[in-house]
Amino acid sequence: MFKSCLFRVLSFQRSFRLLANDRYVRPSIARCSSSKLSTSEAKVNTNNDRPQFPGSRSEWTQKLAFTRNTDYDGIPVYRVMNRDGSIIDESQDPNLGEAKITKIYKGMTLLNTMDRVLYESQRQGRISFYMTSFGEEGTHFGSAAALNDDDLVFGQYREGGVIMWRGFNLQQVMDQCYGNIDGNDKGRQMPVHYGDKNLHFVTISSTLATQMPQAVGAAYHFKRQANGKVVICYFGEGASSEGDAHAALNFAATLDCPIIFFCRNNGYAISTPTHEQYRGDGIAGRGSGYGIASIRVDGNDTLAVYNVTAAARNYCIEESKPVLIEAMTYRIGHHSTSDDSSAYRSVDEVRYWHQQDHPISRLRKYMELKGLWDDAKEKEWKEESRRQVLQAFVAAEKKPKPNVIEMFTDVYNEMPDNLRSQYNDLKAHLKVYKEHYPIKNFNELTEELC
Amino acid sequence: MWMRQNPIFSFLLKKRLNVAFKRRYSTHFNFYPSTVAASEGETNRLNLFQAVNNALDIALASDPSTCIFGEDVAFGGVFRCTIGLQDKYGKDRVFNTPLSEQGIVGFGIGLAVVGATSIAEIQFADYIFPAFDQIVNEASKFRYRSGNHFDCGSLTIRAPCGAVGHGALYHSQSVESFFAHIPGIKVVMPRGPIQAKGLLLSCIRDKNPCIFFEPKILYRVAVEHVPVKDYVLPLSKADVVIEGDHLTMVGWGTQVHILQEVCQMAQDMLNISCEVIDLQTIIPWDKETVINSVKKTGRLLIAHEAPITAGFGAEIAATIQNECFLHLEAPVFRVAGYDTPFPHVYEPFYIPDKWKCFDAVKKLINY
């Protein structure tokens, strides 16, 4: 107490000096990060045998030894069921119940069917771009099912299953990919950049890892509101090399934010394998360096992902601290429709994951063992899901694009004069040159120009 | 406010009262204080950092979701702008972050996305560039790309900017034109304490992400009678500081004070009547006020500290030649920093001071 008062006095004297100096004061201009006298709560350790440095809390050693990555085994991969879908330790079976497990399975397979149709439609030039989630369906649905539906999601771009779990329907997906009049983003972003305020899923942007510190800010506000909500932030192992990932993990730890960092480690960032991405113990291995509780999970084991996410959610709420989950998986599909992954990895490698260790087939085996699923149900659902996908697809293709004024709205909350004037310029231009533009595809544009 | 009870501060005020108002505070400009009408109510003598502090105090008091954060803001900030606020509002509302600008702005965006009023401080405008991605690709595009499902309109980023006498490369920069090329944000710079309080409160309450650049050389030397009440000044509205007939001069921040002195010099030495305009908001900027002025005077001088090439003066010049072509009696002149990094010992030669501006006035008039 006495010391903190002393610090406060010193601090005030320091401010007096600054004020008293009429000219610009040189010390205050220096980039100052250590001026924490008045707020520092560091306790001075009374045991003089221990180091007193404010920056750490460790003991002395007389042994000169570097700490090396190889000193430790990697963080183990938590799993619940083996590749045959049988539970390894019965105490770990979440026993989700028929309705929930069926919803998860149907969601994963619907996403898979949708991915196939949209991937093909891009190949045919009907949409401009697409990214599949092949092999990572388990990470989406396992984690989404363990959260509350009003927990806020910040994603990267390969988390379509999470927003679908919340109720983003096939029509909304298709409308966004087509950029038509009903797309949530009014045709402004590339396909697969989903988002929906009502579903608490923050709109995706292409810039990698930028969502990470943002998610921390949102979690901080939730903590202040004490609203019982957490934030989950998804990202790939490649994105975790960005500076924003570092900032986010560090901010979340120092500001005690209730956030789940969920890393999808699928082995590749486009063509770059993980051994060119990092040399540590993956992403989970970084957690303790930031003071963040961390865990590694089998991302192809949907039940393990569920358990881990549910436990992380509880930890976030109870401790008001961040958690880091690294879900190990494999990107079975190409990075995107603009990528041919056979240029940098073998077909055999992909085939292994597709045939031997796939989240969908594993969950199906688990359900069959429990008597919750069979071939007849599979056949019926396959046909039904394909019908639903194609129906939404055809409907989306027929819808017009939004009116071109939407190119100018929402830049600001109100359209400023320069944008109003630029919109008027464009319309005047189109009146003269309309035959050179695709005006008939855009809502009400033909009528406005004639 | 604690400063008013502080004996040294009172002494300072007394000392200042005894000297001429246009005394020399620095090597390159005199501060020309603004005044407000008596109808604005009670006023306090505040310098610019105190006016900022006062605005932040009001923002925290009037909206419980407001948080202020950045490097070293907890103890009051390296420029004293946040002094006393943590004690008054708590550690969860005014707090230090780790030393990471991209983290600060990203964190601020996230707070704003969930509806909190988010006031981030970047310690010097020179260090805003690590956050450039978060500003240009994220903050500015949040509303647009989400179809208005999400926005970060309640985010304000404050950063000290501009020349300070000895700041050299990384404590002197005027970076506004980098941000003028970003649709979706607002960029604002005040010229004194009255404008700082009103414009900052506008930025904080505006429904769009705003960057508020505070000319750091004015933090202590700029003292004015600032209204005590909670008030806002409109964004995207330039302020005609001095009316005149023969020539229009446009600047912002510290440069407005140089232009006011040049206006006086032109009157005294050339018998020329100049109109001085403080742009105040860089984007979206008030074209109408500048256009109307140039249509009246026929001549335009734009001055800013930032380097001349692709500085914001270029945008104004291009717009004016387009809108006022038939009214212009001379080319639009720009007096600005040179296209070099901001140097240490050469600062007196680098800045667009009153003599460079005065010379431009002479050339414009004699064109």
Side-chain angles (χ1 to χ4, degrees):
Chain A
M1 186 60 200
F2 168 75
K3 279 210 166 61
S4 86
C5 289
L6 180 65
F7 283 158
R8 219 162 273 280
V9 170
L10 284 171
S11 165
F12 276 117
Q13 283 179 346
R14 190 182 136 91
S15 7
F16 293 171
R17 274 206 310 280
L18 293 173
L19 281 167
N21 204 331
D22 201 43
R23 287 274 307 195
Y24 196 78
V25 184
R26 199 167 282 261
S28 72
I29 198 174
R31 194 170 158 83
C32 171
S33 62
S34 58
S35 315
K36 287 171 182 162
L37 287 180
S38 64
T39 54
S40 171
E41 290 176 342
K43 301 271 191 304
V44 175
N45 198 317
T46 49
N47 178 356
N48 287 329
D49 286 344
R50 289 180 64 93
Q52 302 293 327
F53 308 114
S56 84
R57 52 180 182 188
S58 51
E59 300 197 22
W60 300 115
T61 178
Q62 284 71 46
K63 185 179 160 200
L64 195 165
F66 296 104
T67 301
R68 294 187 300 177
N69 186 39
T70 48
D71 294 349
Y72 309 97
D73 290 333
I75 294 172
V77 185
Y78 169 79
R79 65 173 177 167
V80 168
M81 52 182 168
N82 64 24
R83 290 180 187 129
D84 304 326
S86 50
I87 299 291
I88 301 158
D89 174 353
E90 286 299 333
S91 73
Q92 297 300 300
D93 186 347
N95 287 313
L96 294 176
E98 182 171 1
K100 196 160 191 175
I101 202 78
T102 307
K103 187 184 170 192
I104 291 173
Y105 182 74
K106 283 190 168 180
M108 288 165 67
T109 45
L110 184 66
L111 171 62
N112 190 270
T113 304
M114 185 188 87
D115 273 354
R116 287 168 200 278
V117 169
L118 287 176
Y119 182 82
E120 284 308 317
S121 79
Q122 194 284 333
R123 299 282 95 173
Q124 295 165 10
R126 296 163 85 165
I127 60 172
S128 63
F129 179 78
Y130 195 67
M131 302 177 105
T132 65
S133 297
F134 298 141
E136 300 181 49
E137 296 91 343
T139 61
H140 301 190
F141 288 90
S143 58
L147 298 168
N148 290 353
D149 280 353
D150 61 352
D151 288 336
L152 190 64
V153 179
F154 284 80
Q156 179 166 303
Y157 48 61
R158 216 183 297 281
E159 295 91 8
V162 177
I163 193 169
M164 289 171 76
W165 173 266
R166 298 268 175 104
F168 201 68
N169 61 41
L170 289 168
Q171 197 59 59
Q172 288 173 292
V173 169
M174 303 288 178
D175 289 344
Q176 197 282 327
C177 289
Y178 269 102
N180 69 31
I181 192 166
D182 290 330
N184 267 355
D185 64 331
K186 305 181 188 174
R188 291 170 184 151
Q189 291 216 82
M190 286 172 78
V192 309
H193 290 56
Y194 312 126
D196 193 319
K197 184 157 192 138
N198 302 320
L199 302 177
H200 310 278
F201 189 101
V202 179
T203 306
I204 299 297
S205 72
S206 308
T207 40
L208 287 182
T210 47
Q211 80 278 16
M212 297 179 69
Q214 295 168 8
V216 177
Y220 186 85
H221 186 57
F222 285 0
K223 179 178 77 167
R224 281 202 66 223
Q225 287 188 314
N227 60 13
K229 294 200 236 177
V230 302
V231 173
I232 187 163
C233 177
Y234 295 90
F235 55 101
E237 91 287 348
S240 69
S241 295
E242 292 281 4
D244 275 332
H246 163 65
L249 292 164
N250 200 27
F251 276 52
T254 58
L255 297 169
D256 294 323
C257 298
I259 178 172
I260 303 169
F261 291 106
F262 192 107
C263 179
R264 295 175 293 97
N265 189 336
N266 63 17
Y268 290 90
I270 306 187
S271 73
T272 305
T274 51
H275 67 266
E276 293 173 7
Q277 199 66 248
Y278 54 74
R279 282 296 157 90
D281 177 26
I283 310 307
R286 297 177 194 169
S288 65
Y290 290 102
I292 296 179
S294 307
I295 193 164
R296 178 171 284 150
V297 62
D298 180 351
N300 298 339
D301 180 342
T302 309
L303 302 181
V305 173
Y306 177 91
N307 281 354
V308 160
T309 310
R313 192 185 186 286
N314 286 339
Y315 176 88
C316 277
I317 293 294
E318 282 163 17
E319 305 278 330
S320 189
K321 282 183 180 152
V323 190
L324 172 60
I325 299 172
E326 181 182 28
M328 308 310 291
T329 180
Y330 186 83
R331 195 196 77 212
I332 289 176
H334 302 299
H335 164 69
S336 73
T337 49
S338 308
D339 171 53
D340 173 9
S341 65
S342 67
Y344 51 81
R345 61 182 186 180
S346 75
V347 177
D348 286 346
E349 178 185 309
V350 178
R351 190 179 295 129
Y352 167 80
W353 292 97
H354 187 61
Q355 295 177 351
Q356 306 297 321
D357 195 358
H358 198 289
I360 291 178
S361 52
R362 200 188 310 185
L363 189 63
R364 183 179 163 188
K365 286 171 190 163
Y366 166 83
M367 291 169 73
E368 284 172 351
L369 287 173
K370 291 239 168 183
L372 302 172
W373 199 252
D374 55 35
D375 286 347
K377 282 182 179 169
E378 178 74 12
K379 185 166 179 290
E380 188 192 344
W381 171 239
K382 224 169 197 167
E383 283 166 12
E384 167 66 11
S385 60
R386 191 164 171 81
R387 190 190 60 73
Q388 285 180 15
V389 169
L390 290 174
Q391 190 177 28
F393 179 78
V394 171
E397 200 165 41
K398 282 184 184 155
K399 294 182 188 181
K401 311 292 185 210
N403 192 296
V404 284
I405 196 171
E406 302 294 2
M407 184 163 82
F408 297 91
T409 59
D410 300 333
V411 177
Y412 295 90
N413 69 320
E414 291 169 339
M415 199 187 288
D417 292 345
N418 61 320
L419 286 184
R420 176 70 58 189
S421 140
Q422 287 164 25
Y423 169 61
N424 291 335
D425 287 351
L426 173 63
K427 279 214 359 196
H429 175 78
L430 290 177
K431 273 188 197 290
V432 182
Y433 295 96
K434 55 178 164 296
E435 69 270 27
H436 304 294
Y437 296 87
I439 59 168
K440 65 177 194 309
N441 301 343
F442 287 79
N443 195 40
E444 293 171 353
L445 192 54
T446 309
E447 295 86 325
E448 281 174 28
L449 296 173
C450 295
Chain B
M1 284 168 71
W2 71 268
M3 293 99 170
R4 288 164 65 201
Q5 287 118 41
N6 173 328
I8 296 180
F9 185 77
S10 323
F11 165 75
L12 246 183
L13 283 184
K14 280 176 199 148
K15 188 180 154 204
R16 287 228 174 107
L17 287 172
N18 291 336
V19 298
F21 234 122
K22 287 183 189 174
R23 62 161 287 192
R24 224 171 154 74
Y25 284 103
S26 89
T27 51
H28 86 285
F29 77 103
N30 295 322
F31 177 69
Y32 285 71
S34 303
T35 53
V36 293
S39 59
E40 294 299 306
E42 193 191 341
T43 60
N44 255 346
R45 266 180 72 85
L46 302 179
N47 65 24
L48 196 138
F49 85 64
Q50 292 161 337
V52 168
N53 184 275
N54 184 215
L56 296 176
D57 192 352
I58 289 170
L60 286 159
S62 59
D63 173 0
S65 79
T66 306
C67 289
I68 296 175
F69 50 92
E71 295 155 13
D72 308 298
V73 301
F75 88 112
V78 297
F79 289 109
R80 315 277 81 193
C81 291
T82 51
I83 194 125
L85 298 179
Q86 189 182 63
D87 286 344
K88 191 165 172 184
Y89 295 101
K91 289 180 176 177
D92 65 322
R93 300 188 63 192
V94 180
F95 50 92
N96 288 340
T97 65
L99 204 162
S100 166
E101 285 76 13
Q102 63 196 102
I104 292 168
V105 174
F107 180 89
I109 292 170
L111 270 179
V113 164
V114 286
T117 296
S118 167
I119 306 175
E121 178 179 306
I122 299 295
Q123 204 160 68
F124 289 85
D126 311 66
Y127 304 127
I128 203 168
F129 296 106
F132 202 62
D133 185 41
Q134 285 285 354
I135 294 168
V136 66
N137 281 325
E138 296 293 315
S140 71
K141 296 171 173 57
F142 228 103
R143 187 190 299 276
Y144 187 77
R145 74 181 184 210
S146 70
N148 206 20
H149 269 246
F150 294 94
D151 69 81
C152 59
S154 55
L155 168 69
T156 302
I157 303 166
R158 297 174 40 244
C161 75
V164 70
H166 54 269
L169 285 78
Y170 307 114
H171 300 85
S172 306
Q173 293 181 62
S174 295
V175 300
E176 63 274 8
S177 71
F178 290 96
F179 297 91
H181 202 57
I182 307 174
I185 58 167
K186 296 188 176 181
V187 180
V188 179
M189 198 189 294
R191 73 172 185 278
I194 293 169
Q195 294 78 21
K197 178 175 172 183
L199 291 171
L200 179 54
L201 280 169
S202 278
C203 284
I204 291 167
R205 289 160 182 172
D206 193 83
K207 303 294 181 202
N208 300 283
C210 295
I211 305 183
F212 190 73
F213 288 121
E214 298 161 5
K216 67 178 92 66
I217 199 166
L218 302 178
Y219 273 140
R220 291 186 181 79
V221 303
V223 181
E224 288 171 348
H225 292 276
V226 180
V228 170
K229 67 178 184 183
D230 180 349
Y231 66 95
V232 293
L233 294 172
L235 303 183
S236 294
K237 189 83 196 101
D239 187 12
V240 180
V241 181
I242 300 173
E243 290 188 17
D245 300 320
H246 301 137
L247 187 148
T248 302
M249 300 195 287
V250 175
W252 47 92
T254 315
Q255 197 67 28
V256 177
H257 301 290
I258 291 175
L259 294 180
Q260 287 181 83
E261 190 169 355
V262 172
C263 180
Q264 191 64 51
M265 291 160 73
Q267 188 66 60
D268 295 346
M269 293 187 238
L270 308 172
N271 199 27
I272 292 299
S273 152
C274 295
E275 183 146 304
V276 176
I277 297 177
D278 177 3
L279 199 62
Q280 296 192 129
T281 301
I282 310 301
I283 56 159
W285 66 289
D286 181 2
K287 289 181 188 175
E288 198 186 349
T289 298
V290 182
I291 288 168
N292 289 342
S293 174
V294 174
K295 281 184 175 169
K296 177 177 70 172
T297 63
R299 291 178 169 81
L300 175 62
L301 166 66
I302 307 156
H304 56 68
E305 281 179 21
I308 191 160
T309 299
F312 196 67
E315 179 60 35
I316 298 172
T319 301
I320 292 304
Q321 71 84 19
N322 198 39
E323 299 285 341
C324 307
F325 190 70
L326 296 176
H327 298 83
L328 285 172
E329 306 285 347
V332 176
F333 273 42
R334 288 182 288 152
V335 179
Y338 301 111
D339 290 336
T340 69
F342 198 108
H344 189 215
V345 301
Y346 311 106
E347 178 166 328
F349 303 100
Y350 177 85
I351 49 177
D353 65 6
K354 65 184 176 188
W355 294 110
K356 291 177 186 174
C357 293
F358 177 72
D359 187 53
V361 169
K362 276 208 298 194
K363 286 174 176 159
L364 264 166
I365 293 298
N366 296 327
Y367 190 82

